[in-house]
């Protein structure tokens, strides 16, 4: 299906990417299960012979194949979702670019993707200028192109998922009804909703506001300090600033061209020169608005990146290389994979107290500590706690102050 | 009935533990949640519909495999018990014949 503008804006490629990565982790766990079955079969073969042993070995091989097949299906699904997330993310970015430009030029974007020239000029002396309609047409093409790219990505992902076959497992004796019992209950909402804690709300809110202001202040100071000590990494920020300035200048020149072209159009004879000037000016406005919007977005990303880099970076845990943290040596999952697993188990998407992915990653950069008597490790970042399951990292979870962990 | 049976009962017990543990691990492996989450990520999309279908099928398969492997562990343990019971029975029979 080809999405509408609101639909594409609502889609979450980052969540799709997270689901894809988590499926890859699940596939790896299934691979391990298949290896374990092979190891059990080999061990039994060395210690047990006879017709019963032959039957047991055959049974084990069959289950091993089924587990391998399920792992393959899950892995392919994960790759499919990750690919779709990339394409949808690019389409969404292109759509946002066009919407930014439309906002700057006063064009109106309809849900279908059609773009209308500025309505404020309808009926006015400048209404119906060829340049303005040209701006709207160009933006309409950009929006339609983004919507179609998203629709194609959705169709391709759906087709790929439709082709995936799940092995038909014959249930073990006494297990016949198990498969029809329905899916297990999904993860619930972590903790009570905030409105059910109205009794303690004022104190919480004040504390959260204070924490938030402190965090923002720290972030600004961290980022500014980093920019001063790493001037070479401030270059993208300067470049984006220049883009904004250049875009604003281009829009001003384009607007002047529109006015001049319109004045020529009004003379009648001068329309021969005025119309091309209108068209060229409109193109300049669109291009300049896009440039300015791109610069603004780039500036936001630059600041975000610099802030992330400004944070002190501790030795990583759960990372494939250089992993020396106690209890995590040899862990196959990367820190990012563990963060994705924890994020997915951190509560419902609409839970206002659900930690975000960046907070979980920030927590996992910390030193962490092993929970006494358990194989789990706890990492903290502000009021976010991440619990990494040492035995089953894909079941790790994260909580924010006041919320309950969800598995 | 011809044939030869050689068995290390300790190996059977160890296999039972590993198989039962593996069945439990698979029972805890949630393959459904990531696929079911697609519906919320790309609302109303065709991919979400297919992912939902796959989520149910994959979860059912994982659940069936978990049960089947757990049952293999139980059967392996029962086999070891059976061999031990046969051994005890033989000992009793031979004792009854006065050969001990």
């Amino acid at each position: 299906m080809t999405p509408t503008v609101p639909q594409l804006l609502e889609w979450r490629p980052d969540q799709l990417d997270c689901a894809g990565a988590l499926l890859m982790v699940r596939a790896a766990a299934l691979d391990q299960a298949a290896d374990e079955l092979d190891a059990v079969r080999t061990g039994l073969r060395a210690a047990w012979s006879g017709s019963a042993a032959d039957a047991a070995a055959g049974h084990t091989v069959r289950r091993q194949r089924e587990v391998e097949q399920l792992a393959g299906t899950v892995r392919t699904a994960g790759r499919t979702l990750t690919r779709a997330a990339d394409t949808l993310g690019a389409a969404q970015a292109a759509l946002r670019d066009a919407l930014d430009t439309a906002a700057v030029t006063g064009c109106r974007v309809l849900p279908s993707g059609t773009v209308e020239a500025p309505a404020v000029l309808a009926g006015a002396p400048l209404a119906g200028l060829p340049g303005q309609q040209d701006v709207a047409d160009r933006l309409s093409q950009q929006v339609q192109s983004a919507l179609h790219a998203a629709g194609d990505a959705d169709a391709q992902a759906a087709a790929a998922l439709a082709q995936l076959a799940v092995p038909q497992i014959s249930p073990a004796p006494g297990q016949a009804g198990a498969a029809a019992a329905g899916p297990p209950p999904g993860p619930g909402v972590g903790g009570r909703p905030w409105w059910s804690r109205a009794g303690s709300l004022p104190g919480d809110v004040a504390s959260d506001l204070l924490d938030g202001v402190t965090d923002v202040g720290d972030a600004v100071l961290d980022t500014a300090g980093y920019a001063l000590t790493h001037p070479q990494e401030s270059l993208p920020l300067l470049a984006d600033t220049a883009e904004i300035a250049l875009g604003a200048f281009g829009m001003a020149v384009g607007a002047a061209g529109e006015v001049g072209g319109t004045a020529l159009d009004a003379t009648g004879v001068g329309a021969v020169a005025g119309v091309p000037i209108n068209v060229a000016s409109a193109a300049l406005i669109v291009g300049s608005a896009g440039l300015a919007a791109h610069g603004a977005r780039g500036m936001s990303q630059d600041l975000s990146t610099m802030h992330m880099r400004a944070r002190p970076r501790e030795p990583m845990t759960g990372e494939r290389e250089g992993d020396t943290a106690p209890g995590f040596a040899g862990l196959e999952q990367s820190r990012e994979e563990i963060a994705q697993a924890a994020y997915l188990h951190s509560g419902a998407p609409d839970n206002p107290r659900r930690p975000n992915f960046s907070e979980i990653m920030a927590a996992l950069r910390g030193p962490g500590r092993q929970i006494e008597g358990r194989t789990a490790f706890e990492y903290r970042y502000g009021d976010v706690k991440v619990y990494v399951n040492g035995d089953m990292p894909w079941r790790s979870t994260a909580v924010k102050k006041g919320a309950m962990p969800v598995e | 009935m011809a044939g030869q049976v050689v068995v290390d009962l300790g190996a059977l017990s160890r296999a039972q533990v590993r198989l039962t543990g593996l069945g439990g691990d698979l029972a805890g492996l949630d393959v459904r949640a990531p696929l079911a989450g697609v519906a919320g990520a790309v609302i109303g999309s065709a991919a979400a519909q297919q992912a939902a279908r796959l989520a149910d099928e994959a979860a059912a398969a994982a659940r069936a495999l978990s049960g089947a492997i757990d049952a293999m562990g139980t059967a392996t343990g029962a086999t070891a018990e059976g061999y031990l019971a046969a051994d005890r029975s033989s000992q009793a029979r031979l004792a009854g014949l006065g050969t001990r």
Side-chain angles (χ1 to χ4, degrees), chain A residues 1-3 7 10-11 154, chain B residues 38-49:
Chain A
M1 60 164 279
T2 300
Q7 275 179 316
E10 194 181 14
W11 284 0
D154 175 38
Chain B
V38 173
V42 281
I43 297 167
S45 67
Q49 292 174 13

Side-chain angles (χ1 to χ4, degrees), chain A residues 209-261:
Chain A
L209 281 176
L210 193 59
D211 289 348
V213 170
T214 306
D215 288 347
V216 170
D218 289 346
V220 170
L221 287 176
D222 285 348
T223 308
Y226 185 84
L228 287 173
T229 54
H230 297 75
Q232 73 283 1
E233 295 191 30
S234 302
L235 290 177
L237 191 61
L238 291 175
D240 289 325
T241 308
E243 267 190 333
I244 295 172
L246 195 59
F249 177 72
M251 287 168 63
V253 172
E258 284 286 359
V259 171

Side-chain angles (χ1 to χ4, degrees), chain A residues 44-45 48-60, chain B residues 4-5 12 79 83:
Chain A
L44 281 178
R45 266 302 186 201
W48 186 21
S49 66
S51 53
D54 292 342
H59 201 65
T60 310
Chain B
Q4 181 188 25
V5 174
L12 280 185
T79 301
Y83 281 131

Side-chain angles (χ1 to χ4, degrees), chain A residues 26-344:
Chain A
R26 299 284 193 268
L30 286 166
D31 283 339
Q32 286 178 3
D35 290 346
E36 175 74 356
L37 278 174
D38 192 48
V40 168
R41 183 182 59 81
T42 304
L44 281 178
R45 266 302 186 201
W48 186 21
S49 66
S51 53
D54 292 342
H59 201 65
T60 310
V61 167
R62 183 174 140 213
R63 295 306 186 195
Q64 182 188 342
R65 298 283 173 266
E66 289 169 345
V67 172
E68 287 170 349
Q69 191 183 346
L70 182 60
T73 298
V74 171
R75 182 176 293 105
T76 305
R79 286 182 182 146
T80 299
L81 296 184
T82 303
R83 267 199 303 270
D86 286 345
T87 311
L88 288 180
Q92 209 175 51
L95 174 63
R96 290 207 168 103
D97 272 343
L99 293 180
D100 288 346
T101 306
V104 170
T105 56
C107 290
R108 179 166 171 253
V109 182
L110 302 181
S112 64
T114 302
V115 179
E116 293 178 345
V120 290
L121 297 178
L126 298 180
L129 287 179
Q132 289 173 332
Q133 190 55 50
D134 192 48
V135 169
D137 289 345
R138 283 164 188 259
L139 286 176
S140 191
Q141 284 175 6
Q142 286 180 27
V143 173
Q144 293 290 348
S145 173
L147 295 179
H148 284 301
D152 290 346
D154 175 38
Q156 286 173 9
L161 292 175
Q163 287 179 352
L164 290 178
V166 171
Q168 298 299 312
I169 316 294
S170 53
Q175 198 203 358
V189 177
R192 293 174 296 156
W194 63 267
W195 55 84
S196 73
R197 290 181 283 112
S200 57
L201 194 59
D204 282 354
V205 170
S207 170
D208 289 350
L209 281 176
L210 193 59
D211 289 348
V213 170
T214 306
D215 288 347
V216 170
D218 289 346
V220 170
L221 287 176
D222 285 348
T223 308
Y226 185 84
L228 287 173
T229 54
H230 297 75
Q232 73 283 1
E233 295 191 30
S234 302
L235 290 177
L237 191 61
L238 291 175
D240 289 325
T241 308
E243 267 190 333
I244 295 172
L246 195 59
F249 177 72
M251 287 168 63
V253 172
E258 284 286 359
V259 171
T262 304
L264 284 173
D265 295 341
T267 64
V269 180
V272 176
V275 170
I277 288 174
N278 282 136
V279 173
S281 299
L284 185 60
I285 291 172
V286 171
S288 301
L291 189 65
H294 182 266
R297 196 166 22 258
M299 178 183 276
S300 165
Q301 287 171 352
D302 295 338
L303 287 171
S304 172
T305 302
M306 288 176 73
H307 171 56
M308 290 301 290
R309 288 177 182 171
R311 291 185 49 73
R313 191 172 188 282
E314 301 290 340
M316 287 191 269
T317 52
E319 217 172 30
R320 290 190 178 87
E321 293 179 7
D323 181 8
T324 56
F328 281 83
L331 205 64
E332 291 191 357
Q333 287 79 14
S334 71
R335 183 179 62 192
E336 190 168 352
E337 287 170 333
I338 293 172
Q340 285 165 342
Y343 177 68
L344 214 73

